[in-house]
Amino acid sequence: MVKKNVKVVIGANFGDEGKGLMTDYFCHQSAMRSENCIVICHNGGAQRGHTVDTPEGLHHVFHHFGSGTFAGADTYLAKEFILNPIVFRKEWEELEKLGYKPTVYVNPLCRITTPFDMIINQILEESRSDGRHGSCGMGIFETIKRYEENYGYSAWVLLENYDRQSKETIEAVKHTYLPKRFNELKIQPSEEWEEIINSNGLIEQFLEDLEFMENHATVCDDINALEKYHNIVFEGGQGLLLDQNNKEYFPHLTPSNTGLKNPAEMILRLFPNADVEVCYVTRPYLTRHGAGRFDNECNKEEINPNMEDLTNVSNPHQGKLRYGKIDVKELENRVSVDFLTNQSWKLSLAITHLNEVARVFESTDGVFDNIYCSHGKTRMEITYTRKGK
């Protein structure tokens, strides 16, 4: 069996570090060697927004597909990834217009978000009297909560047995679980929300989106999805400081493992002899969406008043993007804690957005095997230095 070449891309901070850029870069390296590649999305769900710009001028924000799509990589949505058929269909059609028809594999144990999970999420955010939590409004936590209450079916049931189970399941969510959850949260939907919830087309449209996903994704387990690929890139969502176990920042966290935990489990179980490089990604400054603790927060003008982030625009659920100054030693520490392993894996750092703030972290020379520096938006503007420990 050919030895697997594995890259793991992890956000080192609060997200928005440039994980999409680095995923595209690694997948393109595989394409340059004429080798196949697959991206594994292993945490969170469609709330991720990973921007990729190509040297040819293509631009896309990836939510439900791996950011290596433009480089010819396929996508595997592992069991921890939360499916959203609404976003899947919208994004598929966007990519098709750009000339791409992604090959996508879905683990049979994936959970699936319904429009009612998204509605609960958005109504709850609107009802908070103490300010916004920082949720993206995509229903991630509510999906997890609903499955814990046994009001959910796996991807295998809903996608492989679409005609038999789907409508019954969604109707139960609307008529039984939704009122129960509103009562638990002590929230009352407005007339406008009631109209949306009870609209005739809501469930039918979702069922159409679910059927679309059934027709454009293959349900299969880890081994069958990954066995034929020589190159594998794990693309994480969010960042280390938002990990569900980072209790120091509770409660403004994401309900998933954002670091090495999920990829390490799969690597050690499926291909323990692989060549593995774990790449943590950071900007030369910090950013954060929504509410919550933010050490070293500052005005954008203290970093670069001319920066313009077209992806992270202000929105009703998360507000404006916040900025902060980075503490390199703290960055090194949280990466070292997350990377802690007895495996002979390479440890790398990618510093993006250096065209905005030209600050390369020289103090990391003794910590990382490799340093990647990005001075622009595309993979062609990434330089690579082998540092060695």
Side-chain angles (χ1 to χ4, degrees):
M1 180 181 292
V2 177
K3 197 173 187 179
K4 304 285 189 184
N5 177 36
V6 178
K7 307 291 185 183
V8 183
V9 178
I10 297 173
N13 309 312
F14 292 103
D16 298 310
E17 300 96 347
K19 296 181 291 295
L21 170 64
M22 292 309 301
T23 298
D24 174 67
Y25 172 82
F26 287 130
C27 293
H28 183 257
Q29 296 295 304
S30 300
M32 292 294 288
R33 298 190 298 268
S34 299
E35 297 173 353
N36 64 7
C37 185
I38 190 167
V39 174
I40 301 178
C41 300
H42 61 84
N43 75 307
Q47 87 275 33
R48 62 174 61 199
H50 293 181
T51 303
V52 174
D53 291 280
T54 71
E56 298 76 26
L58 290 177
H59 171 87
H60 184 73
V61 181
F62 287 89
H63 298 283
H64 219 296
F65 299 86
S67 296
T69 299
F70 289 157
D74 297 333
T75 297
Y76 178 52
L77 305 176
K79 67 177 182 178
E80 295 87 359
F81 188 87
I82 296 174
L83 309 180
N84 187 319
I86 300 170
V87 178
F88 180 95
R89 181 176 186 174
K90 179 177 183 293
E91 189 171 2
W92 174 281
E93 292 173 345
E94 290 172 354
L95 290 169
E96 187 177 32
K97 289 178 181 178
L98 294 174
Y100 292 83
K101 294 183 178 180
T103 296
V104 185
Y105 302 97
V106 173
N107 188 281
L109 299 180
C110 283
R111 294 159 292 187
I112 298 180
T113 293
T114 73
F116 301 108
D117 302 307
M118 299 168 71
I119 287 170
I120 295 169
N121 189 175
Q122 294 175 30
I123 293 176
L124 181 60
E125 281 294 287
E126 292 176 1
S127 69
R128 293 184 189 275
S129 59
D130 56 349
R132 300 294 169 89
H133 181 276
S135 168
C136 59
M138 294 296 291
I140 299 297
F141 176 79
E142 289 302 326
T143 302
I144 295 171
K145 180 69 176 176
R146 175 169 54 81
Y147 275 77
E148 289 175 349
E149 297 289 328
N150 296 317
Y151 283 89
Y153 287 89
S154 68
W156 183 85
V157 172
L158 290 185
L159 295 178
E160 293 294 278
N161 298 278
Y162 168 78
D163 294 330
R164 184 166 58 87
Q165 292 281 8
S166 299
K167 187 169 184 179
E168 176 184 332
T169 301
I170 306 309
E171 291 279 2
V173 173
K174 174 183 177 180
H175 296 295
T176 305
Y177 180 76
L178 190 64
K180 173 179 177 293
R181 185 64 175 144
F182 281 150
N183 184 60
E184 290 173 353
L185 294 170
K186 297 181 171 56
I187 55 176
Q188 178 62 46
S190 64
E191 291 183 5
E192 290 80 7
W193 277 116
E194 288 284 5
E195 186 175 339
I196 293 171
I197 291 168
N198 295 309
S199 60
N200 293 329
L202 183 63
I203 289 180
E204 293 304 319
Q205 181 60 60
F206 179 72
L207 292 173
E208 288 182 16
D209 294 337
L210 193 63
E211 185 176 22
F212 183 93
M213 190 171 190
E214 176 198 23
N215 293 330
H216 292 81
T218 301
V219 178
C220 61
D221 61 21
D222 296 339
I223 294 175
N224 288 316
L226 304 174
E227 62 180 354
K228 69 178 180 181
Y229 293 92
H230 177 59
N231 297 277
I232 298 171
V233 180
F234 287 86
E235 181 180 5
Q238 297 81 48
L240 292 180
L241 288 169
L242 293 177
D243 189 277
Q244 64 183 354
N245 295 309
N246 184 17
K247 303 306 182 185
E248 190 176 354
Y249 282 73
F250 183 83
H252 301 94
L253 303 171
T254 192
S256 70
N257 300 312
T258 63
L260 187 54
K261 186 177 187 299
N262 291 351
E265 185 277 329
M266 290 185 68
I267 293 168
L268 296 174
R269 174 169 53 87
L270 298 171
F271 20 86
N273 297 318
D275 287 325
V276 180
E277 178 182 1
V278 183
C279 181
Y280 293 86
V281 189
T282 182
R283 300 190 191 202
Y285 55 91
L286 296 175
T287 62
R288 177 163 197 178
H289 267 305
R293 173 180 165 180
F294 192 0
D295 298 344
N296 301 325
E297 185 171 8
C298 66
N299 293 324
K300 185 178 91 169
E301 287 70 24
E302 295 182 53
I303 300 171
N304 181 348
N306 299 315
M307 291 188 301
E308 185 178 11
D309 196 323
L310 299 178
T311 300
N312 297 295
V313 296
S314 178
N315 64 74
H317 306 293
Q318 296 175 305
K320 294 181 180 179
L321 190 65
R322 300 160 64 191
Y323 295 87
K325 297 178 180 178
I326 200 162
D327 185 313
V328 178
K329 291 302 179 184
E330 289 182 359
L331 169 69
E332 292 176 349
N333 181 64
R334 61 177 168 269
V335 166
S336 297
V337 170
D338 185 67
F339 182 71
L340 186 62
T341 175
N342 293 320
Q343 308 303 314
S344 57
W345 297 351
K346 293 185 179 67
L347 174 61
S348 300
L349 181 71
I351 310 170
T352 64
H353 294 259
L354 286 168
N355 53 307
E356 299 171 342
V357 180
R359 182 191 179 193
V360 179
F361 306 143
E362 295 299 334
S363 63
T364 62
D365 285 4
V367 176
F368 297 95
D369 294 301
N370 305 314
I371 302 289
Y372 299 89
C373 293
S374 169
H375 300 268
K377 293 182 177 180
T378 79
R379 65 176 91 99
M380 298 301 293
E381 293 156 294
I382 295 175
T383 59
Y384 162 79
T385 304
R386 179 173 178 80
K387 293 290 184 179
K389 292 183 180 178

